[in-house]
Amino acid sequence: MRKMVLSVMSLAVLATLAGCGSSAPSQDGTASASSAAVTTPSSVSGTITVRGAIQPSPNAQLVINLVDVSPSAAGSAPVASKTVASGATFPYSFQLNFKPDEIKPADLYVVKAILTDGARHYSMPIQAPVLTGGNKNQANIELVAEQTPAEKDLADFNALIKQIGGMKVSTGTKLDPNASRGWQVFRQNGEIKVIRELVDYGDKGFTSTDFAYKNGSPWVAVQQKKANKDAAPSTVLRASWTENGMLVLHEQQSGNNTSDLSSDEAGSLRQQALTIFNLAGGNKKK
């Protein structure tokens, strides 16, 4: 009888040990799952490069932001930010630090690089998502130079000049005390788009100017100054304005040298544009 009791107790002990043994893998498995859980990093890093021939000057300003771009976070401040006021050299390596608990696993985060160099802006053709949605905490960003407002005005002006052959044209002349002038007016739907003015100052030179307009206001002027009608241009003046008269493009070229056009000279060009516009009859259908 005593032998039987011991056997039963031995079986109970073995069962208990077996139970402990069977729970061990579960405990190990739980620990393993905890160690394998994804932990949010406390920083994002990467490299910023600038593509193309137009590289920023040493005065360019670089701002790097880590931003939550989820609809629910619209208008919220960046999670992390860094500003380099000047002197950034490219490729540029960066690191943005933040508190991991600020990151919401269900949200979408991107790194945005904002580079400005005077009037020129550089944009990111491709977004740089990080942290959530299977993305890493690293981003390699490529920036591309955009046209400045002045460059855009000049490019749009050159495109317009190529189209004047299909516009309605009228001509006019006027003899001044010290010069003789003639012009061609190019209209589209009754609106003056371009006036090409030729002014002969005799032994004081010759100018050929294309004036372009938007809604009756001077937009772009490109003036070639020559010794005479058949000579090559010695100087080319270029200016453009917004509709309210704010100067945008202001440059002069002599040979291969380009410099700023003074505000006085730009103002003179704008006045010339207004004068010839009135001589041409304004936006009247002809």
Side-chain angles (χ1 to χ4, degrees), residues 234-256:
S234 58
T235 305
V236 179
L237 311 182
R238 302 181 183 93
S240 72
W241 306 268
T242 61
E243 285 192 32
N244 62 5
M246 184 179 295
L247 185 62
V248 179
L249 169 65
H250 45 92
E251 69 176 31
Q252 63 178 0
Q253 181 178 349
S254 298
N256 294 325

Side-chain angles (χ1 to χ4, degrees), residues 35-282:
S35 62
V38 176
T39 57
T40 303
S42 59
S43 68
V44 293
S45 60
T47 303
I48 300 172
T49 57
V50 178
R51 184 179 73 195
I54 304 176
Q55 293 291 307
S57 75
N59 298 321
Q61 182 182 76
L62 175 65
V63 179
I64 312 166
N65 291 327
L66 173 62
V67 183
D68 186 342
V69 294
S70 305
S72 59
S76 61
V79 177
S81 183
K82 181 178 183 180
T83 298
V84 184
S86 62
T89 56
F90 297 89
Y92 180 82
S93 298
F94 70 91
Q95 180 171 310
L96 299 175
N97 300 317
F98 52 87
K99 295 178 180 178
D101 58 8
E102 294 179 341
I103 303 302
K104 301 175 182 177
D107 283 7
L108 175 63
Y109 295 86
V110 299
V111 175
K112 289 187 176 181
I114 305 166
L115 180 62
T116 54
D117 189 10
R120 190 179 305 284
H121 292 254
Y122 293 77
S123 61
M124 293 174 54
I126 302 174
Q127 277 197 335
V130 290
L131 298 174
T132 58
N135 296 300
K136 299 180 179 180
N137 65 326
Q138 291 185 325
N140 293 320
I141 296 171
E142 188 175 64
L143 299 175
V144 178
E146 297 179 350
Q147 285 183 323
T148 65
E151 289 171 343
K152 187 177 187 310
D153 275 352
L154 191 57
D156 290 347
F157 167 81
N158 289 332
L160 176 64
I161 293 300
K162 292 179 180 180
Q163 299 171 13
I164 61 176
M167 298 180 188
K168 186 175 182 179
V169 61
S170 60
T171 60
T173 59
K174 185 176 184 292
L175 185 62
D176 294 332
N178 300 314
S180 62
R181 69 183 68 237
W183 60 84
Q184 291 178 300
V185 183
F186 299 90
R187 286 182 171 87
Q188 194 172 59
N189 299 322
E191 182 180 346
I192 293 178
K193 294 295 185 180
V194 175
I195 299 177
R196 177 165 291 166
E197 182 186 38
L198 306 177
V199 183
D200 191 344
Y201 296 96
D203 59 2
K204 293 185 178 180
F206 185 94
T207 61
S208 172
T209 313
D210 284 343
F211 299 102
Y213 302 83
K214 281 186 177 180
N215 300 318
S217 296
W219 168 44
V220 179
V222 176
Q223 184 173 86
Q224 299 180 34
K225 292 186 175 184
K226 309 177 181 182
N228 56 67
K229 180 180 179 180
D230 298 321
S234 58
T235 305
V236 179
L237 311 182
R238 302 181 183 93
S240 72
W241 306 268
T242 61
E243 285 192 32
N244 62 5
M246 184 179 295
L247 185 62
V248 179
L249 169 65
H250 45 92
E251 69 176 31
Q252 63 178 0
Q253 181 178 349
S254 298
N256 294 325
N257 298 320
T258 301
S259 58
D260 277 347
L261 182 68
S262 72
S263 57
D264 287 344
E265 289 180 296
S268 175
L269 275 178
R270 191 170 193 274
Q271 185 56 53
Q272 292 173 48
L274 292 169
T275 299
I276 194 63
F277 184 84
N278 292 329
L279 281 175

